[in-house]
Amino acid sequence: MTADNFRRIALARKGVIEGSHQGHPDFRANGRVVASLRATGERGMVKLTHEEQATLVAEHPDVF
């Protein structure tokens, strides 16, 4: 996934806006960080609920 694709997907979520924190892009909804992207664009982080995390781990065990 490219940094541009990550950004596009993050911003497609309802209410998400892009900002920055400590020199890297972050994505916020209702004032809370829901995703961030390293300044280099090599890695990204998305916050998930416990239920979302369990579903993803169950569906893609080879990734986690």
Side-chain angles (χ1 to χ4, degrees):
M1 175 175 294
T2 67
D4 287 339
N5 284 339
F6 184 93
R7 179 174 276 108
R8 180 181 51 77
I9 292 166
L11 291 171
R13 296 186 68 182
K14 184 179 179 181
V16 173
I17 60 170
E18 184 172 349
S20 67
H21 178 72
Q22 297 183 353
H24 64 83
D26 67 20
F27 304 89
R28 296 172 183 254
N30 300 316
R32 297 181 138 183
V33 174
V34 296
S36 64
L37 186 61
R38 282 201 178 175
T40 60
E42 295 173 352
R43 294 179 191 251
M45 178 280 304
V46 177
K47 289 188 176 181
L48 304 170
T49 65
H50 293 291
E51 294 80 14
E52 291 169 329
Q53 184 179 14
T55 299
L56 286 171
V57 170
E59 291 177 357
H60 306 280
D62 55 318
V63 176
F64 299 97

